[in-house]
Amino acid sequence: MEGYKHFLAVLSAAAAFGFATIIFVLRWVLYYREGLAWDGGPAEFNWHPVLQLAGFIFLNGVAIIIFRLPWTWQINKLIMKLVHAGLNLAAFTCATVSFVAAFDFHNAANIPNMYSLHSWLGFAALILFGLQIVLAVIMYLMPFTPASWRAAFMPLHVFSGQLLFASIIAVALMGMTEKLIFGLDNPKYKDSPPEAVFVNVMGVLLVAYGVTILWIATRASWKRPSDQASYTRHPIARGEENAKVGPSLSQLSNETDVEGCVDVRRRANKLDDQNN
């Protein structure tokens, strides 16, 4: 990996920001708010920010960079796809339960549902995230999907995943601010009481986590190398792909231009690892 020390530094920062955010959100609901419960009251609503930050956002961030971790490059590509899908499914489950907790609290307290911009954008993000998972499973885990479709869909899959990740963080910041405005009475949010300052710092940590995750995900030099791609994704396609790659490499075996040979190998494997 090019810039391995730089990668480790950014990855360590992302982990620190992510775990700090989880600690902060738990401290917020357990110390400043009513704790955690499942009774239809404010303590049940507190599951909403906890599962959104500690579950939805954190796990989604890990799923985004899982292919970038050099320690996973020797693992079968299909296994890594299953890990990636599993992390996203766990994130989606956390988000769904968090919405149930919010709706239960609103219904018990006779508070209208889905009236704020935060709720609109949050529900839209949940639906789009679920659709993203379904399409990804069809495209990359089903053996009947043509390889050309996978290659064509990959840029959209990567872009939409990163866009949703950034959007979910923005929606979470809106929700945190909304909760402080409604929840702080004396002193008010504008007076900067300790809880307000604490949550603002948590928001900064959340943004820092998002920035470091996206930085890792968008560095071309930190991509999973093409020459380590696994062709065991679909056994039937493996023989066909090797047949296509084999002649090209054998024809170049006696040439002295090593860089040219590597370039041919990268083009041959580009279909499988174009954007991971």
Side-chain angles (χ1 to χ4, degrees):
M1 172 184 282
E2 296 181 16
Y4 181 67
K5 292 183 179 180
H6 181 203
F7 171 81
L8 287 182
V10 179
L11 180 63
S12 299
F17 291 137
F19 285 118
T21 300
I22 295 174
I23 293 172
F24 265 63
V25 71
L26 289 172
R27 172 71 172 176
W28 181 29
V29 300
L30 295 176
Y31 180 77
Y32 290 102
R33 297 281 113 188
E34 297 79 7
L36 294 169
W38 200 270
D39 55 4
E44 180 175 342
F45 176 84
N46 288 341
W47 280 110
H48 183 71
V50 169
L51 291 175
Q52 285 289 331
L53 273 63
F56 196 14
I57 295 175
F58 181 78
L59 291 178
N60 183 211
V62 175
I64 287 175
I65 65 170
I66 194 69
F67 289 108
R68 300 282 171 130
L69 303 180
W71 314 286
T72 68
W73 289 351
Q74 300 297 333
I75 300 177
N76 184 287
K77 185 68 177 293
L78 178 58
I79 294 177
M80 294 310 302
K81 288 180 179 179
L82 292 173
V83 172
H84 175 74
L87 287 169
N88 278 319
L89 183 59
F92 179 77
T93 301
C94 289
T96 302
V97 175
S98 77
F99 270 84
V100 172
F103 286 147
D104 278 354
F105 168 69
H106 283 183
N107 293 335
N110 293 320
I111 300 174
N113 291 309
M114 302 298 296
Y115 69 89
S116 66
L117 180 60
H118 166 69
S119 60
W120 288 11
L121 295 177
F123 197 66
L126 181 66
I127 293 175
L128 292 174
F129 192 85
L131 179 61
Q132 168 93 332
I133 293 176
V134 172
L135 290 176
V137 168
I138 294 174
M139 285 291 179
Y140 301 111
L141 294 179
M142 297 292 104
F144 53 76
T145 305
S148 59
W149 289 19
R150 297 191 195 102
F153 183 70
M154 180 59 76
L156 177 61
H157 176 68
V158 172
F159 173 77
S160 59
Q162 294 174 359
L163 178 62
L164 278 172
F165 177 68
S167 300
I168 293 165
I169 291 177
V171 173
L173 295 174
M174 293 172 59
M176 290 157 54
T177 303
E178 182 180 289
K179 181 63 177 177
L180 290 176
I181 292 174
F182 291 158
L184 294 177
D185 185 26
N186 187 23
K188 296 182 179 298
Y189 181 36
K190 65 181 180 63
D191 298 321
S192 296
E195 181 180 355
V197 175
F198 184 86
V199 176
N200 285 349
V201 172
M202 180 173 66
V204 173
L205 291 171
L206 183 60
V207 171
Y209 174 69
V211 169
T212 50
I213 289 293
L214 291 176
W215 182 260
I216 294 173
T218 55
R219 298 306 94 193
S221 59
W222 295 345
K223 289 168 58 176
R224 181 184 174 111
S226 299
D227 59 353
Q228 292 187 18
S230 170
Y231 284 92
T232 59
R233 178 186 58 207
H234 299 299
I236 297 177
R238 183 180 180 182
E240 297 176 357
E241 292 178 2
N242 286 340
K244 293 178 181 178
V245 176
S248 297
L249 294 178
S250 62
Q251 292 169 6
L252 292 171
S253 60
N254 295 323
E255 294 186 14
T256 59
D257 188 355
V258 178
E259 292 183 358
C261 181
V262 172
D263 187 56
V264 169
R265 291 189 59 180
R266 287 177 177 172
R267 290 199 302 270
N269 290 302
K270 184 178 179 181
L271 184 63
D272 191 50
D273 284 290
Q274 182 177 359
N275 283 288
N276 287 327

